[in-house]
Amino acid sequence: MVTISIKNAGKVYDIEVELSDSGKLFKDKIQAVTNIPPERQKILVKGGKVADDVTIESLNIPEGKPVMVLGTPDKGLPSKPVEKQVFLEDLNESSLYKVDNEPSGLVNLGNTCYLNSSLQVMFSISDLKERLDTFAASSGANSASTLTVALKSLFGQMKKKQQNVNPTIFLTLLRSSFPQFAERSDHGFYKQQDAEEAYSQILSTLNSTLKVEDLFRISFKVKSKCLALPDEVQTTSYEDSSKLSCHITISTNFLRDGILSGLKEKIEKFNDTLQSNAEYELSRTITRLPKYLTVQFVRFYWKRDTQKKSKILRKVQFPFELDLSEMLDEDIKQEKVKVRDEIRRVEKDNLELIRDFKKAKTVASNSSAALVNNEEEELKLLSIKSKFQDDLKAALPDLNLETTTENPSSVYQLQAIISHKGASADSGHYQAFVKDPTDFDGDKWWKYNDDKVSVIEKEKIEQLAGGGESDNALILLYKGIGL
């Protein structure tokens, strides 16, 4: 005899079975505890539908992990009393809270949109939240630990999705740790700051406490060539960065162009042979890709006549799926492309399952039972994702996709964006855009305008490419495909 846990409608039940029991007997035992007839049961196990003639042993159910069971109980059975309907206008202010799945916004505390947008993008990073959940400051904690604890508390409030969150404590500690964010105008108001600087400073702090560097670290091989002495042997060095830069010139139309431009540069330095300064060309190739890739549009530059950071407004289009294979060093390129192609194959194999889910979701959303079906949809989504991960593990047995901090392939999917509206980094308005993780197609995105949260479609994201003083993408956060 073995015990299998099943989960239905938020409740977990333990069922005793023998490994030789049939699928039909398993369904009968499920009915005994859930009142769901076998014909209505949807048992989410690897491989899909549970046939009546299969054995429990053949299902390979993971030990200690509840099996999701979908379905509604027999209507002829007693149900709980109908609760009295409460109308919104009958509630007082203290009783109001969000009852849908809308994420929490962040209150603007006076020119703090740069911080709110940065925090919303970081909140979309699941690995970051997991490490924060287990963080505990030691005795004699320093400012970095204190700031990390404050972020843990802030994210804990945001997870509840019940109200807009006030980030006062975190903001106060940030200004204490980094006085640049406490600058005031001549009138005594706090100044607008650069979102990229806030994003980078917070991640730098988290690296000292949570050791998150490897999640974002990009490594390069750098070849240096003296242009005045073309026959001189090139030198090779190595360097790391936490982001890729997209440099924008009058000929930059696409993200790829700007990144490639940033991988090459010319500098002047002393040459021993010439005994004088000479011009060198530096060429970089990527030797390590992180799980999360940050790409910064280099839109701001210092303008001497105005003594301000001015903005390059040129339109630069960016992809929802980014393949960096052409920028990789030859030492890693072949393996990254091989893994990329294997992930593509697994995606193709799961395409029909995803299509069926989306079709069923569309039908359910147009029916009166949409709310009832919500939990089932979430469970189906988890099942599909679980199957996809299981298939990936089988296809890539030498890779631990759950613990890796490196992208095993060359492909990324766009996950979040920080945008800027205006002509100067020290003014204007920052917003965040985050892809809904429950949407397979990436058509649904959340727009965070401080405490105002709304849903927008993918087409609106494409408009963040720029071309004027309206919202321009400033920071793109990509996540490795399949991770």
Side-chain angles (χ1 to χ4, degrees):
M1 298 289 289
V2 296
T3 299
I4 295 178
S5 297
I6 67 163
K7 186 174 183 180
N8 171 257
K11 295 182 180 180
V12 177
Y13 305 90
D14 289 333
I15 298 176
E16 288 193 347
V17 296
E18 292 186 8
L19 294 178
S20 59
D21 283 351
S22 66
K24 184 179 185 307
L25 184 56
F26 185 35
K27 294 175 185 177
D28 290 339
K29 290 186 176 183
I30 290 176
Q31 182 182 16
V33 295
T34 64
N35 296 321
I36 303 173
E39 63 271 16
R40 292 194 205 142
Q41 293 175 16
K42 294 180 182 178
I43 306 170
L44 305 184
V45 295
K46 186 178 179 182
K49 188 176 180 181
V50 176
D52 288 345
D53 57 352
V54 301
T55 62
I56 297 292
E57 186 175 21
S58 68
L59 297 177
N60 295 318
I61 297 175
E63 186 178 351
K65 187 176 181 181
V67 176
M68 300 288 186
V69 176
L70 309 178
T72 53
D74 194 315
K75 292 181 180 179
L77 296 173
S79 59
K80 66 178 182 179
V82 178
E83 297 180 2
K84 180 182 178 181
Q85 188 172 9
V86 179
F87 295 95
L88 188 64
E89 55 267 27
D90 295 330
L91 297 174
N92 57 42
E93 187 173 349
S94 63
S95 301
L96 293 173
Y97 61 92
K98 291 196 290 187
V99 294
D100 57 14
N101 203 37
E102 181 180 298
S104 295
L106 293 171
V107 178
N108 191 314
L109 301 171
N111 285 333
T112 58
C113 57
Y114 71 92
L115 176 63
N116 290 347
S117 57
S118 298
L119 291 174
Q120 292 289 10
V121 168
M122 291 181 186
F123 187 71
S124 75
I125 303 173
S126 57
D127 291 81
L128 204 58
K129 289 186 288 190
E130 288 172 6
R131 297 192 185 193
L132 277 172
D133 286 342
T134 59
F135 177 77
S138 57
S139 58
N142 55 25
S143 60
S145 294
T146 304
L147 193 66
T148 303
V149 170
L151 185 63
K152 176 181 178 178
S153 176
L154 181 66
F155 278 10
Q157 291 177 270
M158 294 168 68
K159 285 178 183 177
K160 296 177 181 177
K161 299 183 180 182
Q162 290 183 353
Q163 59 184 0
N164 292 319
V165 177
N166 189 319
T168 299
I169 295 176
F170 182 82
L171 175 63
T172 302
L173 292 171
L174 179 72
R175 286 171 172 165
S176 175
S177 300
F178 303 100
Q180 70 191 84
F181 300 117
E183 286 184 289
R184 294 178 184 264
S185 67
D186 294 337
H187 300 289
F189 299 110
Y190 285 108
K191 291 183 177 180
Q192 177 71 284
Q193 299 293 335
D194 188 334
E196 191 280 325
E197 291 180 6
Y199 180 87
S200 296
Q201 292 285 26
I202 295 171
L203 281 184
S204 177
T205 299
L206 295 178
N207 183 51
S208 67
T209 54
L210 304 179
K211 310 302 179 188
V212 297
E213 180 185 18
D214 280 356
L215 291 170
F216 305 92
R217 177 169 55 86
I218 313 159
S219 297
F220 302 93
K221 178 189 288 185
V222 187
K223 291 187 176 180
S224 177
K225 176 182 179 181
C226 180
L227 298 180
L229 297 172
D231 295 330
E232 188 174 72
V233 178
Q234 294 185 86
T235 60
T236 301
S237 59
Y238 298 87
E239 63 183 36
D240 294 331
S241 178
S242 60
K243 63 187 176 185
L244 281 180
S245 295
C246 175
H247 292 268
I248 304 174
T249 67
I250 57 173
S251 59
T252 306
N253 296 313
F254 301 96
L255 181 69
R256 168 189 173 275
D257 304 331
I259 294 176
L260 286 172
S261 174
L263 294 178
K264 284 193 175 184
E265 67 172 316
K266 292 180 180 179
I267 63 170
E268 188 176 294
K269 65 177 183 177
F270 186 79
N271 181 280
D272 291 332
T273 303
L274 298 175
Q275 286 296 297
S276 65
N277 283 350
E279 188 175 38
Y280 282 78
E281 182 180 74
L282 304 182
S283 300
R284 295 176 176 84
T285 51
I286 299 173
T287 58
R288 182 190 190 273
L289 288 174
K291 184 173 184 176
Y292 296 93
L293 177 71
T294 301
V295 181
Q296 178 197 358
F297 286 98
V298 186
R299 289 193 177 275
F300 297 126
Y301 66 98
W302 186 255
K303 199 170 183 180
R304 292 183 179 179
D305 57 344
T306 61
Q307 292 293 295
K308 289 183 178 180
K309 285 184 180 178
S310 292
K311 181 178 174 184
I312 300 172
L313 302 176
R314 183 177 181 82
K315 181 178 181 179
V316 181
Q317 295 179 323
F318 53 87
F320 289 91
E321 188 168 284
L322 177 65
D323 190 345
L324 298 180
S325 56
E326 66 177 310
M327 305 170 196
L328 300 180
D329 190 75
E330 290 300 324
D331 289 345
I332 69 167
K333 186 173 183 177
Q334 184 176 355
E335 181 61 28
K336 296 288 186 187
V337 171
K338 179 182 177 182
V339 174
R340 177 199 68 186
D341 294 343
E342 194 63 28
I343 292 175
R344 296 278 193 228
R345 183 189 64 77
V346 174
E347 281 184 326
K348 187 176 180 180
D349 290 344
N350 281 267
L351 191 58
E352 185 176 349
L353 191 63
I354 294 171
R355 284 174 178 165
D356 289 343
F357 169 77
K358 289 189 291 186
K359 184 178 179 180
K361 186 174 181 180
T362 301
V363 172
S365 64
N366 293 329
S367 71
S368 59
L371 292 176
V372 177
N373 292 329
N374 187 54
E375 184 185 50
E376 291 195 9
E377 287 181 3
E378 290 183 3
L379 294 177
K380 288 178 185 177
L381 180 64
L382 288 174
S383 176
I384 292 172
K385 287 184 175 181
S386 177
K387 180 181 181 302
F388 178 70
Q389 291 299 321
D390 288 344
D391 290 350
L392 274 184
K393 289 176 186 177
L396 305 168
D398 297 329
L399 295 174
N400 190 329
L401 300 176
E402 294 179 357
T403 61
T404 183
T405 59
E406 184 174 354
N407 185 2
S409 81
S410 60
V411 183
Y412 288 89
Q413 289 182 328
L414 186 61
Q415 175 171 309
I417 301 170
I418 297 176
S419 71
H420 178 266
K421 179 189 294 184
S424 169
D426 303 322
S427 61
H429 184 58
Y430 291 96
Q431 297 187 118
F433 300 82
V434 178
K435 184 176 71 172
D436 186 333
T438 67
D439 183 37
F440 279 114
D441 292 327
D443 289 331
K444 181 182 177 182
W445 286 68
W446 293 105
K447 175 183 176 181
Y448 296 93
N449 180 7
D450 291 321
D451 59 346
K452 300 177 182 66
V453 181
S454 57
V455 174
I456 63 171
E457 295 182 349
K458 190 175 182 178
E459 289 72 18
K460 296 290 184 182
I461 298 299
E462 294 173 343
Q463 296 175 13
L464 299 177
E469 292 189 15
S470 58
D471 282 296
N472 289 215
L474 178 66
I475 293 176
L476 305 175
L477 178 69
Y478 286 90
K479 185 178 181 182
I481 192 170
L483 298 179

